[in-house]
Amino acid sequence: MKKIGVLGAGTWGMALSRMLSNTGHAVTVWSAIEKEVDEFSTKRVHPNLPKMQIPDEIVFTKDIEEVCKEKDILLFAVPSVFVRSTTATAREFIPDGQIIVDVAKGIEADTLYTMSEVIQDELQKDGGHKNVKLVALSGPTHAEEVSLDMPTTIVSACSDMEAAELVQDVFMNTCMRVYTNGDTTGVELCGAMKNIIALAAGVSAGLGYGDNAKAALITRGMAEISRLGIAMGCMEQTFNGLAGIGDLIVTATSIHSRNNRAGHLIGQGYTPDEAVKEVGMVVEGINALPAAMKLKERYRVEMPIIEAINGVINEGADPAKTVKALMGRHKKTELSKSMLDLNFENTILKNKRSGGMKRVITYGTFDLLHYGHINLLRRAKALGDYLVVVLSSDEFNWNMKHKKCYFTYEQRKELLLATRYVDLVIPEESWEQKRNDVHEYHIDTFVMGDDWRGKFDFLKEEGVEVVYLPRTPEISTTQIKEDLNK
Ligand code: C2G
């Protein structure tokens, strides 16, 4: 039996509180809305969950200190826009080392932080709380169904697997199956972004379009979220999992979903504000849009559906015209990489462009290949479909870069080709070859770490997109050599 403090008495917070109490845990629930506390503690029914009985064992409190102190787990179940302020109020009562589970789904608009990052950022403002363990709990989980003990699965994500497993044990029961995952950011990104796709699916249905359009939005919407996640360094399989496609299916196809309902009204001609008022509850998909647009820009990821729904919600674009524009975009390939590989080799040899395939190029020495290089290569690959690495030759390194490599060109090339991101390796023999390379290999995007920021902007004149990605701090080939010499 664990002692659990729940912050937030919304639909999801209360459905989980009931489940935890009925499975033998001591649950205390706090809400900033004192009227709610009075009502729930006496009537023991939540207005949004009329069929659910709130167990008598659940203690309600208006005192945030009481909900925080001496608990095994704190559950943050407030709407995403109140996570920061709630953390600030609770901070002085939260001990270091506390396990905190966040179930709010969203991305903070100005910082682009996920909810667990917001909580951590706010807690560490006092210079302490260095050992708090933040677990994201997210998946295909309608509160209405959980409140009726209907079979449900969910993901407990934390980089600290022990914390993820402890939460798995607490929340696991005959009605709730919990899976662990180490990719907190990926799980939280899915949770926030899928609400936007659900909104789009609602708009489509409101316009009178059918299941074909819904399936297209779900499939291509997940492809966009996955592409963004990979560019942010998340794990690809997170997006194919319960927190990713699982949660998107349940949100985009269900009448329970507020995002779906709000979208439906907008498709029928309501303004976003009218739709939110009609739904009467928080529509997280609308709250997540500004951050989604900023992430798309920062990581330079093509996200046409996100862009289209943002046009409808925030720029007054006509929903019907927007769908027509989406359907009329230039053709894209869905081919797997291997097919792309063959396809690309053929086009390279025949020296002609193949429709819709984006080619990326990057340059470097890549000696003693390390995770900083891999982070760069993974994000570069996520910007397109095919990555060409121009690898500094031994002569170029020695004569022009005054670098003595540990591995020869051939050895460095072999290591690069062994990674899952690199499709082609060619030699870099001079500083001047870039202008030619981008034409010879039909390149769309040139990528370098931001230690080179500004140095290659001239390539824009060649019609190439120039992207500088944040370097991975604290690791470098030089650093490795120095550490090994000690
Ligand atoms: N990189 C990174 N993070 C690190 C180390 C390297 O993102 N911790 C990136 C660099 O910014 C660069 C790439 O990995 O984009 C390869 O790094 P180096 O092998 O150090 O390449 P460099 O010496 O910068 O050569 O004509 C351009 C040069 O060939 C680039």
Side-chain angles (χ1 to χ4, degrees):
M1 188 277 281
K2 298 287 183 193
K3 285 185 283 184
I4 298 165
V6 180
L7 291 92
T11 322
W12 189 212
M14 287 314 304
L16 285 174
S17 298
R18 169 191 165 276
M19 180 188 84
L20 291 165
S21 175
N22 285 350
T23 48
H25 301 292
V27 178
T28 306
V29 176
W30 168 86
S31 168
I33 306 166
E34 304 208 341
K35 191 171 65 61
E36 272 187 350
V37 175
D38 293 335
E39 216 170 274
F40 296 165
S41 49
T42 51
K43 291 188 185 149
R44 297 278 155 181
V45 173
H46 190 289
N48 298 337
L49 296 166
K51 295 184 202 139
M52 183 183 88
Q53 180 62 32
I54 298 177
D56 294 337
E57 295 77 5
I58 289 181
V59 172
F60 285 90
T61 179
K62 298 170 189 168
D63 174 3
I64 200 160
E65 179 177 3
E66 187 184 349
V67 77
C68 290
K69 70 172 193 278
E70 288 144 31
K71 297 291 185 302
D72 297 299
I73 287 177
L74 289 184
L75 180 65
F76 272 62
V78 295
S80 61
V81 288
F82 298 125
V83 166
R84 184 171 287 278
S85 55
T86 304
T87 307
T89 316
R91 177 172 50 230
E92 59 181 296
F93 308 116
I94 296 177
D96 198 2
Q98 177 69 59
I99 291 184
I100 295 180
V101 175
D102 171 67
V103 293
K105 296 178 177 179
I107 306 263
E108 189 170 58
D110 50 341
T111 59
L112 298 183
Y113 285 170
T114 61
M115 291 300 109
S116 62
E117 288 167 340
V118 167
I119 295 171
Q120 177 160 36
D121 178 61
E122 200 55 43
L123 283 179
Q124 291 184 353
K125 278 196 171 143
D126 63 5
H129 291 100
K130 297 282 185 233
N131 306 305
V132 168
K133 294 184 174 57
L134 284 150
V135 182
L137 196 62
S138 185
T141 56
H142 281 309
E144 295 77 1
E145 296 184 13
V146 171
S147 72
L148 298 171
D149 289 332
M150 294 170 83
T152 298
T153 57
I154 199 165
V155 173
S156 164
C158 183
S159 51
D160 175 326
M161 200 37 76
E162 210 176 305
E165 286 167 353
L166 186 146
V167 170
Q168 178 182 40
D169 292 341
V170 169
F171 283 78
M172 187 96 154
N173 56 62
T174 51
C175 309
M176 173 82 75
R177 255 188 87 64
V178 186
Y179 292 77
T180 55
N181 184 321
D183 179 14
T184 311
T185 305
V187 163
E188 291 190 295
L189 182 72
C190 289
M193 301 291 281
K194 56 97 193 174
N195 287 325
I196 302 174
I197 305 299
L199 202 54
V203 171
S204 167
L207 284 164
Y209 298 132
D211 293 341
N212 298 356
K214 187 179 291 183
L217 283 165
I218 290 172
T219 312
R220 295 308 304 163
M222 201 65 235
E224 291 185 12
I225 298 171
S226 177
R227 216 167 26 236
L228 173 63
I230 291 165
M232 289 171 66
C234 304
M235 296 193 299
E236 194 167 353
Q237 61 265 41
T238 300
F239 302 91
N240 304 325
L242 291 166
I245 191 66
D247 197 359
L248 178 53
I249 290 170
V250 90
T251 309
T253 61
S254 161
I255 40 102
H256 289 306
S257 155
R258 309 164 194 175
N259 295 288
N260 206 335
R261 285 218 306 280
H264 205 283
L265 294 169
I266 292 165
Q268 287 173 323
Y270 282 63
T271 66
D273 292 344
E274 288 164 349
V276 172
K277 214 187 274 62
E278 180 68 21
V279 165
M281 291 187 271
V282 170
V283 181
E284 293 283 16
I286 293 180
N287 295 342
L289 264 173
M293 291 301 287
K294 280 192 207 162
L295 282 171
K296 181 182 86 66
E297 293 313 315
R298 173 184 290 187
Y299 289 94
R300 296 176 168 285
V301 176
E302 200 184 0
M303 305 181 86
I305 297 174
I306 298 292
E307 218 162 335
I309 190 72
N310 185 60
V312 170
I313 301 294
N314 294 318
E315 293 158 8
D318 171 74
K321 288 201 187 90
T322 304
V323 173
K324 223 183 275 345
L326 267 179
M327 293 299 285
R329 290 176 58 246
H330 62 268
K331 59 184 186 302
K332 290 282 290 173
T333 174
E334 206 187 39
L335 289 176
S336 69
K337 174 187 162 307
S338 54
M339 275 304 285
L340 276 180
D341 228 347
L342 296 175
N343 193 359
F344 184 76
E345 298 295 359
N346 294 337
T347 48
I348 269 284
L349 297 176
K350 287 184 206 114
N351 217 2
K352 70 177 173 50
R353 291 181 81 87
S354 68
M357 172 149 75
K358 277 188 78 174
R359 298 183 225 353
V360 182
I361 198 166
T362 190
Y363 292 68
T365 301
F366 295 99
D367 193 21
L368 295 179
L369 194 63
H370 54 67
Y371 64 88
H373 295 136
I374 299 299
N375 276 343
L376 190 283
L377 295 169
R378 179 182 56 236
R379 286 173 295 163
K381 179 57 178 285
L383 294 177
D385 308 291
Y386 197 92
L387 177 60
V388 180
V389 175
V390 189
L391 184 62
S392 309
S393 67
D394 295 330
E395 298 70 23
F396 182 66
N397 273 316
W398 184 242
N399 301 330
M400 306 307 285
K401 288 174 149 181
H402 314 302
K403 280 183 179 179
K404 181 85 185 78
C405 285
Y406 183 78
F407 287 130
T408 66
Y409 174 83
E410 286 309 322
Q411 288 163 338
R412 287 179 284 125
K413 175 176 177 178
E414 188 182 347
L415 282 167
L416 285 171
L417 286 172
T419 70
R420 57 182 301 190
Y421 305 115
V422 176
D423 298 291
L424 195 63
V425 175
I426 57 173
E428 177 181 31
E429 285 150 333
S430 84
W431 289 115
E432 289 66 42
Q433 68 183 77
K434 294 182 174 70
R435 275 188 198 276
N436 175 60
D437 291 347
V438 296
H439 291 294
E440 190 177 337
Y441 290 89
H442 308 295
I443 298 301
D444 298 284
T445 305
F446 170 93
V447 174
M448 282 304 288
D450 61 4
D451 46 319
W452 292 91
R453 183 175 295 286
K455 298 284 189 315
F456 302 115
D457 290 350
F458 62 84
L459 288 169
K460 290 177 187 166
E461 297 151 25
E462 308 299 328
V464 170
E465 186 188 17
V466 176
V467 175
Y468 300 101
L469 295 173
R471 265 180 82 90
T472 304
E474 101 282 329
I475 180 76
S476 71
T477 308
T478 317
Q479 181 75 48
I480 296 171
K481 287 177 178 173
E482 280 166 11
D483 290 353
L484 290 176
N485 282 336
K486 278 179 201 151

